Amino acid sequence: MRFTGVKGLHPHMQKILLTEEEIQSRVRQIAGQISSDYAGQDPLLVGILKGAFIFLADLVRYLTIPVQLDFIAVSSYGNASESSGAVRILKDLDQSIEGLHVLIVEDIVDTGLTLNYLRENLRAREPASLKVCTLLDKPSRRLVEVKIDYNGFVIPDEFVVGYGLDYNGHYRYFRDIMVLKREVYAR
Ligand code: PRP
Ligand code: 7HP
């Protein structure tokens, strides 16, 4: 069920930022780039739960190389729309990544605190290489510099939901990425 069809935009949404078609086209492009960069390397893609689950699912289906998948779940201490910087691992990887080519797959880099923590944590496990792929990048909010190797879209400082991204657990299932009305998260 689409919430942006004939009945119009979901009432909590200000506007569509990225349509399903724009997202799919960019995900396909990134997959092409990853397929050529990692040819012959059998990389391990590490999805950051929960937000990256839809992006990762689409990404791997556009790849033309074999990959393995694992997941890590982290929680940042903070409220639903602001991250505090402290990160805790809720579910760790199932396997050792020593000697593997690891690609972290994120939905969004905002302050950069989550990714900075994950990069350092995973680097200490001595992978053969460690790179980052994110669908969205909100550079205006950055508190710590993080290197992004594959970047889908640079977006403005708006709170977005859909395509895996949530507010308080809601709206992850939208096919488009939308700007949430400020009154919804400011109340
Ligand atoms: C979101 C998002 C990133 C992180 C980015 O995760 O999925 O992991 O915030 O923010 P940062 O750059 O400011 O650290 P969230 O904690 O909302 O968990 P979720 O993926 O389960 O929605
Ligand atoms: C985290 C997050 N989650 C959903 N939408 C956004 O705009 C976000 N920024 N940081």
Side-chain angles (χ1 to χ4, degrees):
M1 181 175 179
R2 291 195 74 175
F3 290 80
T4 52
V6 286
K7 287 188 181 156
L9 209 52
H10 185 288
H12 295 172
M13 302 303 146
Q14 187 188 315
K15 63 174 180 184
I16 295 178
L17 186 68
L18 296 164
T19 64
E20 177 180 11
E21 292 74 21
E22 288 169 326
I23 297 166
Q24 291 300 321
S25 159
R26 187 71 183 117
V27 174
R28 189 190 286 262
Q29 277 180 353
I30 296 171
Q33 211 179 326
I34 291 171
S35 298
S36 101
D37 292 353
Y38 282 93
Q41 295 191 346
D42 292 351
L44 176 74
L45 271 51
V46 171
I48 314 305
L49 295 172
K50 306 186 180 84
F53 82 107
I54 294 182
F55 175 39
L56 183 62
D58 282 344
L59 185 70
V60 294
R61 287 178 293 172
Y62 287 128
L63 292 174
T64 55
I65 55 165
V67 294
Q68 290 186 61
L69 292 173
D70 205 343
F71 297 90
I72 190 165
V74 294
S75 148
S76 50
Y77 296 94
N79 63 35
S81 60
E82 293 283 338
S83 149
S84 70
V87 178
R88 183 166 55 110
I89 293 183
L90 300 177
K91 182 229 167 277
D92 206 341
L93 298 175
D94 290 338
Q95 64 184 101
S96 162
I97 58 169
E98 190 177 342
L100 300 182
H101 293 285
V102 174
L103 179 61
I104 298 173
V105 179
E106 256 292 21
D107 54 347
I108 186 165
V109 181
D110 187 302
T111 63
L113 293 166
T114 304
L115 192 54
N116 186 51
Y117 170 84
L118 280 169
R119 243 193 197 281
E120 292 314 309
N121 185 292
L122 297 188
R123 194 196 310 276
R125 307 184 196 193
E126 303 185 348
S129 68
L130 184 61
K131 287 189 183 178
V132 170
C133 172
T134 185
L135 180 68
L136 305 177
D137 177 18
K138 229 194 257 185
S140 56
R141 295 251 314 156
R142 205 72 96 244
L143 293 179
V144 53
E145 266 326 299
V146 280
K147 183 168 185 284
I148 297 173
D149 302 280
Y150 303 94
N151 195 353
F153 301 93
V154 174
I155 64 165
D157 185 8
E158 308 266 22
F159 197 86
V160 292
V161 295
Y163 199 69
L165 293 124
D166 74 311
Y167 171 68
N168 252 350
H170 299 288
Y171 320 118
R172 290 193 200 272
Y173 49 85
F174 289 132
R175 291 166 179 261
D176 308 298
I177 292 177
M178 300 183 222
V179 176
L180 187 63
K181 282 183 180 166
R182 198 167 288 272
E183 70 214 47
V184 176
Y185 60 87
R187 65 187 172 201

